Amino acid sequence: HGALIPDNPLEDYEHGSEEAWKRIWALTPTEAVGTKFVYTDVGFLTLAEVIRRVTGQDVAKFAAENIFQPLGMSETGYLPGEDLRARAATTEKVDGKWLRGEVHDPRAARLGGITGHAGLFSTAGDLAKYARMFLSNGRVGDTQILGQNTLSEMRRPRKIGDQKRALGWDNRSKYSTNRGELFSSAAVGHGGFTGNGFWIDPELDLFVIFLSNRLHPDGVGNVNPLIGRIGSIAAAALREDAPVTETENVSPDSHSPALLGVDVLKRDGFAALRGRSVGLITNHTGLNGEGKRTVDLLHDAPDVELVAIFSPEHGLQGKLDESNITDTRDEATGLPVYSLYGKTRKPEAEQLAGIDTLVFDIQDIGCRFYTYVSTMGLALEAASEHKLKFVVLDRPNPLGGVLVEGPVLDAGKKSFVGHHAIPVRHGMTVGELARMFDQENKLDVDLEIVPTENWRRNQYWDQTGLVWTNPSPNMRSLAEAVLYPGIGLLETTNVSVGRGTDTPFEVVGAPWVDGRKLAANLNQRGLPGVTFVPIRFTPTASKFADEDCEGVNIIVVDRRAFQSVPVGLAVAVALRELFPEDWDRANLNRLLGSDKIHSAIENGASLHELEQLYAEELTEFTKRRQQFLMYP
């Protein structure tokens, strides 16, 4: 009882059907039930034989009588007749003969063309009839084709390790690269080796059928990305909440660019600050859509007095990768610049002299331990203590506002890299976070958010029409920001995450890592939307400066399927599994902020077990944050 191997040797089928079945019966399961997902043709060969023994009919006759004929699928079946063969697409040449209307799979061919794993021919019209039945609770008119219990089991995803499969269908596994990005979690589907894809989404009342002969003429070709793209377009047409996908070429020409909070403030005549004496918390990212500094806009604004500037980690210019940054003065305006990453991290009374309003305008990247939100949280506390108004000039979350990932910060672990009880990837803007901090910490601040406009939660930064500014020295692209919540978790341990290279957070490694082993371990997990390439690199600064390291280059191949924190945790699980004596994980919890997850990693838990440990608190957070969300 368990999984059979994917395929037994082709030689086992060279001596006729009877001998082939003897060799199949001699196989033994390789994995216990429920422990590992294996895509096995042998398993479906065996299921067809079960049908034959139970019903006395081969799978072709049984399927025809119970499925195809009741549905009117007259062009579907095994061993198509001459008329249908003439309409079939040619695949490739085998033994000097073009295959057309004949099963391509060599094992199925040697078993006569009627098997449980290959050899079924159909048309888009017939498959549409099946899909409509599937979406109609198994009924066609007054005829119940599939029972409710059967249909429920066929639709229900099973999570085995990092893979999700339904009964006979794919759901979200390493083989679901032809899955539409915008399908719901209820979607099930399957591909075909010769170039087919078939997905049904009960939640969207949608089906997508794609039939091709991708093997023609030379046996190679890949249509899975195209199938997935078609599925995404179809789903987007039905979903009111559908994210704009990367295939839709979003630009200022096709979608109005997002308007930053500072631009809204200027457009509205600086009304929120009229007659106010302002302390501005900002850095080099405090630019409007035209690239002008918020410092200069407020300094020149009528009826607004800019008294002082406060800068966060990395300083006003965003170039300092060091602690204990000193106070300075802004050259253009002559205003004092008080460092909130030096002798103090919260504005002090003497620095607030003559100020009645604090304004926050810094670009965050959507990760709990990125310290700009901590600076805002501490400044909110100062505003509460000194009875100041607090205005947030809001900005889009570059990672979008839909996905939330990772454990929620443990109670009692508040720090500068964990200001509030939020998950690692929080999916909120700084304005939304300010509302949460104010209410949940009972600060009772006179808080006003100047919202960004034309931004939807499902948009990443590249879909806003806005210019990217590196928010910190090692956050040099959106690609690195997408990786940061997961990979950044690891940098408190004895691995390099690429600081001191041209690609921070795109690589992980150490002198003691075997890059090939690590890449193989991670790739076999089938993590959605990502692949790992073994590499060698030598950082010029930070951890392991000037030392040769091996590790992996992390490449996001499908951003909509990719989840950064699970990938970071998967790397942690792999390091614990492969290099338990070399990997020093004592400080892993500094950014992770979860004792139970840290302990589980230490004790050898799987990624699935880790995700289950924080699933409930993540769900609770999504409910908590709902009242603070400002954007659709």
Side-chain angles (χ1 to χ4, degrees), residues 508-525 532-537 549-553 574-575 578-579:
V508 174
W512 44 265
V513 167
D514 183 322
R516 292 182 181 180
K517 282 185 179 180
L518 182 57
N521 181 292
L522 291 166
N523 282 324
Q524 66 87 25
R525 296 174 185 274
F532 302 86
V533 179
I535 61 166
R536 297 184 180 93
F537 64 97
C549 297
E550 280 196 28
V552 293
N553 179 201
L575 292 172
L578 296 174
F579 316 107

Side-chain angles (χ1 to χ4, degrees), residues 291-616:
K292 296 180 179 179
R293 293 196 311 166
T294 304
V295 170
D296 298 322
L297 293 170
L298 296 191
H299 183 259
D300 297 336
D303 205 21
V304 176
E305 182 186 5
L306 182 59
V307 176
I309 303 167
F310 297 84
S311 65
E313 183 180 1
H314 308 300
L316 182 62
Q317 305 303 324
K319 297 178 180 179
L320 302 175
D321 205 3
E322 60 191 55
S323 57
N324 298 318
I325 296 172
T326 59
D327 296 343
T328 184
R329 193 165 289 275
D330 179 55
E331 291 184 7
T333 63
L335 291 170
V337 180
Y338 298 118
S339 172
L340 298 180
Y341 199 70
K343 64 179 181 179
T344 182
R345 295 190 178 180
K346 179 191 289 190
E348 297 181 329
E350 59 270 24
Q351 298 170 336
L352 294 171
I355 291 172
D356 59 30
T357 303
L358 284 175
V359 176
F360 184 90
D361 187 27
I362 298 177
Q363 182 61 59
D364 181 45
I365 65 159
C367 178
R368 183 182 70 211
F369 47 82
Y370 205 60
T371 62
Y372 297 157
V373 294
S374 298
T375 295
M376 182 183 70
L378 291 170
L380 270 167
E381 293 177 8
S384 175
E385 293 163 5
H386 296 278
K387 306 302 180 186
L388 306 178
K389 182 176 181 177
F390 199 96
V391 177
V392 177
L393 306 181
D394 212 4
R395 294 173 168 268
N397 184 325
L399 308 185
V402 176
L403 287 182
V404 294
E405 300 174 8
V408 173
L409 184 71
D410 281 350
K413 280 193 164 48
K414 181 176 178 178
S415 71
F416 197 57
V417 289
H419 181 78
H420 198 69
I422 57 177
V424 176
R425 179 176 178 177
H426 50 71
M428 300 175 74
T429 69
V430 288
E432 293 170 336
L433 284 171
R435 296 176 70 192
M436 175 180 274
F437 294 173
D438 179 40
Q439 181 170 314
E440 293 191 342
N441 292 329
K442 298 180 172 55
L443 298 178
D444 194 27
V445 172
D446 179 9
L447 175 64
E448 181 174 350
I449 314 298
V450 180
T452 185
E453 294 182 2
N454 303 328
W455 180 72
R456 298 179 66 86
R457 310 200 71 79
N458 45 47
Q459 290 180 311
Y460 282 74
W461 186 267
D462 57 324
Q463 297 162 332
T464 64
L466 296 168
V467 176
W468 171 270
T469 298
N470 293 346
S472 58
N474 280 283
M475 198 61 60
R476 302 172 190 171
S477 69
L478 177 59
E480 290 168 1
V482 169
L483 287 163
Y484 180 71
I487 305 308
L489 285 171
L490 304 170
E491 68 175 314
T492 56
T493 73
N494 62 331
V495 295
S496 167
V497 294
R499 292 184 186 269
T501 74
D502 292 334
T503 53
F505 312 113
E506 296 183 49
V507 300
V508 174
W512 44 265
V513 167
D514 183 322
R516 292 182 181 180
K517 282 185 179 180
L518 182 57
N521 181 292
L522 291 166
N523 282 324
Q524 66 87 25
R525 296 174 185 274
L527 297 165
V530 66
T531 191
F532 302 86
V533 179
I535 61 166
R536 297 184 180 93
F537 64 97
T538 305
T540 59
S542 192
K543 201 161 295 177
F544 302 123
D546 301 320
E547 294 187 52
D548 293 337
C549 297
E550 280 196 28
V552 293
N553 179 201
I554 307 145
I555 303 173
V556 177
V557 295
D558 182 353
R559 191 175 66 190
R560 290 292 172 186
F562 176 76
Q563 294 189 52
S564 181
V565 176
V567 167
L569 293 176
V571 175
V573 168
L575 292 172
R576 168 68 176 80
E577 179 180 316
L578 296 174
F579 316 107
E581 301 303 319
D582 297 300
W583 186 41
D584 181 359
R585 46 207 174 269
N587 293 323
L588 176 62
N589 207 26
R590 181 164 175 255
L591 299 181
L592 185 62
S594 172
D595 286 341
K596 64 184 177 184
I597 301 301
H598 185 213
S599 178
I601 292 171
E602 183 64 34
N603 292 324
S606 68
L607 175 60
H608 174 65
E609 290 169 333
L610 297 179
E611 290 180 302
Q612 291 299 109
L613 280 174
Y614 65 73
E616 186 175 344

Side-chain angles (χ1 to χ4, degrees), residues 198-210:
F198 185 19
W199 282 86
I200 306 174
D201 192 333
E203 189 172 303
L204 295 181
D205 195 28
L206 165 73
F207 60 87
V208 175
I209 299 164
F210 181 95

